[in-house]
Amino acid sequence: MSTLKSRVNMHLLGKRAPPYHRLPSGARMFFYVLITIATCSVACLYLKWLRVKSYWADRGVPYQPPNPILGSLTFLQRQNPGLWLRQLYNFKSPYVGMWLLWRPGLVINSPEIARRILVKDFGNFRNRYLSSGQSDPIGGLNLFTVNDPIWSSMRNRLSSVFTSAKLRILQDYVGLKAKELAQRIHNDKDNPINLKVTYVDFTTDVIGTSAFGVESNSTLTGKGSMREITHDFGKFGIMRGLSWCSIFFFPDFVDYFRFTFFPKESEDYLKRVFRMIVKNREENATDQKESKDLLDALIKIKKEKIENNEAVSDDLLIAQAAIFLLGGFETSGSVLSFITYEMAFNPELQVNTIKEGLRKYSPMGWLDRIAMMDYQIDDKVTIKAGTPVYVNSIGMHYDPDYFPDPEKFEPDRFLPQNEKDTKPYTYMPFGHGPRICIGQRFAQMTVRYALSSVFLNFKVYPVPNMPKPSDVKIDNRCLLYLAGEPLLVKFVPRH
Ligand code: HEM
């Protein structure tokens, strides 16, 4: 009745009734129900948000206030995660609360807690939070992204790929490429040389050939199929940026949006090459006991699995070769570039600078784990099962209590008489514990060969108007801690 009255009033006033008043009563009912549901949902969401927002405050953990949608992830694609973590370290607290969207996570700044998570209580932290989902086998089955039980069995088998004996076999090849690197610099010596590009040409050959068994000549030519792949890996457009952010920080969305760890075309190429070379080696197999490269070792794993009647897919093996390439080319290339750049500005430095290079320019400045069960961090704080934790290794690398004057490139910190004073679990460029970087020794060998070859043959000088090493911009779009601008230097032959 009152509705009718108000409609009449509106009519008399020359106003039109609101649209829902003109609906038939069933539809009007539906409309009201819809409004009620929407209002209740918004209220529930708001209450949930209040709980999310107060999560760390309720537990007495310091935190940076979260954004209502992204949580703490507002830095993504705007600031490099390594720089963001260095800021969180300034809280001067053993841990800092954060949110991955609405999921609480904890950043660990304390070496003692890091030791417990990475080593002592590894059983509870054997998995990473990041995940490449189920829909992308090459991205999801590799050693970096895969979790238990596949991780334990793959890690055991793959450890044999990087033994001293296997690395000695690879040494000759790395040495040959290091000579080519000096040759390449010699050819280009009249112009400033772009370190990132030159070194990635070199690491692409070294790791691409070792892992896929395919000849690559980019050290000398700057070109080739493998180099096109690493070029694609290094490109961070909107889609790839989004894929990686999701894989690392909001993996629940990966399958939904079909994000992939590797660019699709590169993955297809790597699959083709892998299958072709493996077929070729299997057909021409001799009785050789020793594998001559990483690919041989992968083929051996396949054979052993078949002999033991265990399931083995090509994807599982391709995934490992692909992660060796991705895990190795840019990390090693970046450390080489920064060390050489520092040496251009500090000519008195010795070549023995690798450890300091890895401290100041750790390509991966955080160690990602997830708690499998509730875990007591200390007397005050217990984290729930499923909470992601990030050990803030780059934060510790820049802590003046552990590394005085941290912005200074100071290789003497790592002289044997000084290194013994380094507090345990404050220096972790390759991580720590059973999930430590499997390629650590291969990477160290690659970097050592390259630097020796370059500095035996050349002196290096800065190019006018280039930024000082500590002023170099860091790439904000990539998740690794890489230079965000070209690093140009001038090489002058020693003889
Ligand atoms: C300077 C070069 C490199 C640096 C700084 C580096 C750093 C790291 C770090 C910090 C981790 C995580 C460790 C952890 O969570 O405790 C890691 C894992 C890994 N890295 Fe490297 N890496 C380098 C080169 C390489 C190379 C050359 C390869 C392969 C040939 C490689 C393959 C891997 C793999 C497969 C993992 C995952 C290991 C696992 O979860 O079991 N990395 N790396």
Side-chain angles (χ1 to χ4, degrees):
M1 189 63 191
S2 65
T3 319
L4 183 65
K5 211 167 140 191
S6 65
R7 273 213 240 169
V8 172
N9 284 344
M10 282 183 193
H11 184 73
L12 291 177
L13 290 167
K15 287 188 189 161
R16 287 171 67 88
Y20 50 85
H21 280 165
R22 278 179 262 127
L23 291 172
S25 63
R28 210 180 313 151
M29 194 60 196
F30 178 69
F31 186 77
Y32 288 140
V33 170
L34 217 62
I35 294 274
T36 313
I37 292 176
T39 315
C40 288
S41 306
V42 171
C44 286
L45 263 178
Y46 183 66
L47 289 176
K48 164 107 176 127
W49 162 240
L50 291 183
R51 272 209 314 279
V52 166
K53 197 167 96 154
S54 65
Y55 187 89
W56 288 121
D58 293 347
R59 286 159 179 78
V61 174
Y63 61 92
Q64 234 179 15
N67 171 284
I69 296 169
L70 293 175
S72 306
L73 300 181
T74 45
F75 69 89
L76 286 177
Q77 300 292 294
R78 298 196 309 177
Q79 187 185 27
N80 185 280
L83 293 174
W84 178 73
L85 281 160
R86 283 175 57 190
Q87 272 173 8
L88 286 197
Y89 197 84
N90 292 337
F91 272 78
K92 303 271 178 229
S93 163
Y95 37 74
V96 178
M98 64 170 297
W99 288 263
L100 301 122
L101 310 185
W102 282 20
R103 179 194 275 257
L106 198 64
V107 172
I108 305 294
N109 291 335
S110 141
E112 286 78 20
I113 302 175
R115 180 185 67 85
R116 281 170 40 213
I117 288 175
L118 300 174
V119 180
K120 184 167 164 282
D121 298 324
F122 176 74
N124 195 35
F125 293 97
R126 52 204 310 114
N127 291 335
R128 295 205 166 93
Y129 175 57
L130 67 86
S131 162
S132 198
Q134 309 294 320
S135 52
D136 162 31
I138 307 295
L141 286 176
N142 69 64
L143 198 63
F144 186 68
T145 53
V146 82
N147 281 337
D148 255 352
I150 300 182
W151 174 78
S152 303
S153 110
M154 266 334 264
R155 176 88 195 199
N156 272 341
R157 288 200 148 96
L158 287 173
S159 296
S160 67
V161 174
F162 294 97
T163 57
S164 307
K166 298 266 162 47
L167 290 183
R168 264 197 301 279
I169 298 171
L170 289 171
Q171 208 163 275
D172 287 348
Y173 182 72
V174 179
L176 173 80
K177 287 291 161 182
K179 270 194 195 143
E180 287 183 10
L181 177 65
Q183 178 64 51
R184 154 85 174 270
I185 293 175
H186 200 272
N187 297 346
D188 296 348
K189 68 181 183 313
D190 296 334
N191 301 310
I193 286 187
N194 185 327
L195 289 173
K196 256 170 86 174
V197 173
T198 310
Y199 279 131
V200 166
D201 287 342
F202 162 76
T203 55
T204 298
D205 276 0
V206 168
I207 298 160
T209 302
S210 308
F212 283 90
V214 58
E215 188 52 37
S216 172
N217 251 326
S218 59
T219 308
L220 280 176
T221 64
K223 295 192 194 111
S225 311
M226 248 329 145
R227 186 65 183 97
E228 277 173 34
I229 298 290
T230 54
H231 184 72
D232 275 0
F233 281 0
K235 268 200 296 205
F236 270 83
I238 293 178
M239 203 45 206
R240 195 150 146 72
L242 205 60
S243 301
W244 265 50
C245 289
S246 179
I247 288 168
F248 275 80
F249 298 116
F250 35 99
D252 295 345
F253 290 78
V254 170
D255 280 334
Y256 191 71
F257 289 103
R258 303 216 145 230
F259 290 135
T260 58
F261 195 62
F262 301 100
K264 194 76 194 77
E265 297 85 65
S266 316
E267 198 176 291
D268 291 343
Y269 172 81
L270 291 180
K271 279 185 183 173
R272 275 202 309 280
V273 169
F274 186 90
R275 291 199 173 113
M276 192 178 75
I277 306 276
V278 169
K279 187 160 174 272
N280 192 285
R281 287 201 188 175
E282 283 173 344
E283 281 171 4
N284 300 303
T286 55
D287 267 349
Q288 62 168 43
K289 291 262 175 324
E290 267 312 329
S291 37
K292 73 176 172 23
D293 55 20
L294 305 181
L295 182 69
D296 266 354
L298 288 174
I299 295 174
K300 197 158 158 244
I301 291 176
K302 182 177 169 185
K303 263 199 197 150
E304 282 169 6
K305 279 194 162 235
I306 292 172
E307 279 162 19
N308 296 340
N309 285 328
E310 287 177 55
V312 57
S313 69
D314 273 359
D315 280 351
L316 185 67
L317 300 179
I318 296 168
Q320 313 317 323
I323 195 62
F324 292 165
L325 179 61
L326 178 69
F329 88 95
E330 193 133 62
T331 46
S332 311
S334 167
V335 170
L336 277 167
S337 304
F338 276 122
I339 292 178
T340 309
Y341 198 67
E342 286 277 2
M343 291 183 74
F345 284 81
N346 303 286
E348 76 287 356
L349 293 177
Q350 301 298 307
V351 177
N352 188 16
T353 59
I354 298 174
K355 286 187 176 167
E356 176 67 345
L358 284 161
R359 176 195 70 83
K360 196 171 169 197
Y361 301 107
S362 275
M364 245 202 98
W366 74 93
L367 312 172
D368 166 335
R369 303 287 188 272
I370 182 169
M372 290 170 87
M373 288 184 291
D374 290 2
Y375 184 78
Q376 189 172 355
I377 295 277
D378 62 13
D379 295 346
K380 278 188 348 203
V381 178
T382 296
I383 52 171
K384 292 219 174 85
T387 306
V389 291
Y390 297 101
V391 172
N392 191 350
S393 45
I394 197 156
M396 298 188 214
H397 290 186
Y398 278 81
D399 184 334
D401 288 343
Y402 306 139
F403 301 99
D405 201 357
E407 290 291 343
K408 187 164 178 223
F409 192 78
E410 180 55 275
D412 286 0
R413 302 176 202 276
F414 293 98
L415 288 175
Q417 62 271 32
N418 301 334
E419 194 180 8
K420 65 178 174 20
D421 297 331
T422 308
K423 192 175 160 103
Y425 297 91
T426 57
Y427 178 69
M428 298 184 280
F430 290 102
H432 231 304
R435 267 205 111 142
I436 195 170
C437 173
I438 200 169
Q440 171 176 4
R441 294 170 67 212
F442 185 61
Q444 283 163 333
M445 176 175 89
T446 305
V447 171
R448 210 172 41 245
Y449 267 82
L451 288 180
S452 311
S453 175
V454 168
F455 285 96
L456 273 175
N457 289 291
F458 301 94
K459 290 183 182 161
V460 58
Y461 296 96
V463 168
N465 301 325
M466 289 299 291
K468 292 202 196 85
S470 286
D471 296 334
V472 168
K473 280 198 212 92
I474 300 299
D475 192 332
N476 287 335
R477 305 204 66 179
C478 182
L479 298 186
L480 298 179
Y481 197 80
L482 309 179
E485 57 188 318
L487 301 177
L488 302 180
V489 296
K490 185 86 178 65
F491 284 102
V492 175
R494 287 191 186 270
H495 318 289

